[in-house]
Amino acid sequence: MNFLIGLAAGFFGGLFGLGGGVIMVPLMVGILKIGQHKAHGTSLVALIFTGIAGTITYAFRGSVDITASALLASTAIFTARAGARFAHGLPEWKLKRYFGAFMILVTLLLLLKPYLSSIDGPVGWAKIVILLLTGVFTGFLSGMMGVGGGTIMVPSMVLLAGITQHTAQGSSLLAMIPAGGVGAYTHWRLGNVSAGILTGLIPGILIGTYMGGSFAYFLSESALRILFAAMLIWTGTGYLRTPRPKVEEG
């Protein structure tokens, strides 16, 4: 089962340029019955391998901007640690609600994806500042939610920095390796990683990411995107309805 969860997360991560955490976290909580905090931390450790496999797949097709990735990661590595610590301090019911809201945001961005088009983006310092600020926000989000951050990085690179869609996806996967690594290490230190399931997750992620990254070039993804979005809305709505306990945790 761990392998299948990793396979699903890797496939959708590679296909859409995401880390796959929006798939992995709810599956680990719902099927493997691990706590929300541990699901976030474990997901972030596994997503380092999504970044590696996805980067290799996109790099073979020339769709990775190393400079853009380095700029994104240079700020994300600092805020990812803060995001992980922020998540650790939240009671589980509240973290679930935040994750549900994040899943709805992911859905909206995925549905808007066909309408995203590269612009004649800024050059010089303006482009650098955009990428650095994007890294600040996505790093915190990655550490907090246990995701790669591609949900924010990809639209930002396409709409604000003028980077093409496939290159934005490949670059986001590269940037999530160091940023996710810092967040994962912080979660590990805080005890929010279930190491035992990683041996099944990681092989599934590596295979799934390669498959998804390859299909991104050849497969018509419209119907798949709609089905994926419907699943995210259903799951995210359930998380948003998480009841607040009468006696709050912590």
Side-chain angles (χ1 to χ4, degrees):
M1 184 55 68
N2 296 344
F3 174 80
L4 293 178
I5 291 173
L7 190 69
F11 178 80
F12 285 108
L15 181 62
F16 294 108
L18 310 175
V22 289
I23 292 291
M24 224 178 328
V25 170
L27 288 179
M28 284 192 286
V29 173
I31 297 176
L32 302 182
K33 305 301 181 184
I34 71 175
Q36 190 73 24
H37 291 85
K38 281 205 170 186
H40 286 218
T42 306
S43 170
L44 206 50
V45 173
L47 292 181
I48 297 172
F49 296 89
T50 303
I52 294 171
T55 297
I56 292 172
T57 303
Y58 278 85
F60 273 127
R61 301 180 182 276
S63 297
V64 175
D65 186 329
I66 295 177
T67 301
S69 298
L71 289 169
L72 289 165
S74 67
T75 50
I77 58 175
F78 295 102
T79 53
R81 184 173 183 269
R85 290 190 172 277
F86 180 74
H88 181 71
L90 291 173
E92 182 155 331
W93 69 269
K94 189 173 289 186
L95 185 58
K96 285 185 175 182
R97 285 188 183 180
Y98 283 148
F99 189 75
F102 174 72
M103 292 184 78
I104 301 299
L105 172 64
V106 171
T107 303
L108 295 175
L109 292 174
L110 282 176
L111 292 175
L112 288 172
K113 183 182 175 185
Y115 306 102
L116 302 182
S117 59
S118 295
I119 60 174
D120 293 328
V123 295
W125 282 105
K127 185 173 183 178
I128 291 173
V129 169
I130 287 171
L131 293 171
L132 290 174
L133 290 176
T134 300
V136 170
F137 182 70
T138 54
F140 184 85
L141 191 69
S142 174
M144 177 184 176
M145 295 297 177
V147 298
T151 311
I152 305 299
M153 279 191 279
V154 172
S156 179
M157 282 189 278
V158 172
L159 295 177
L160 302 179
I163 297 174
T164 62
Q165 179 71 32
H166 281 107
T167 299
Q169 293 184 187
S171 302
S172 75
L173 288 163
L174 175 58
M176 76 172 60
I177 299 172
V182 171
Y185 176 73
T186 304
H187 275 293
W188 192 292
R189 291 287 301 272
L190 294 169
N192 293 334
V193 174
S194 181
I197 67 175
L198 289 172
T199 53
L201 284 176
I202 292 171
I205 284 173
L206 293 174
I207 296 171
T209 304
Y210 174 78
M211 292 169 58
S214 299
F215 282 3
Y217 287 88
F218 303 112
L219 186 67
S220 175
E221 54 184 86
S222 299
L224 183 60
R225 186 187 303 110
I226 292 172
L227 292 172
F228 187 46
M231 181 192 65
L232 290 181
I233 290 175
W234 182 79
T235 308
T237 302
Y239 271 98
L240 283 172
R241 293 174 177 171
T242 300
R244 178 173 180 168
K246 294 180 181 179
V247 179
E248 186 172 322
E249 303 168 31

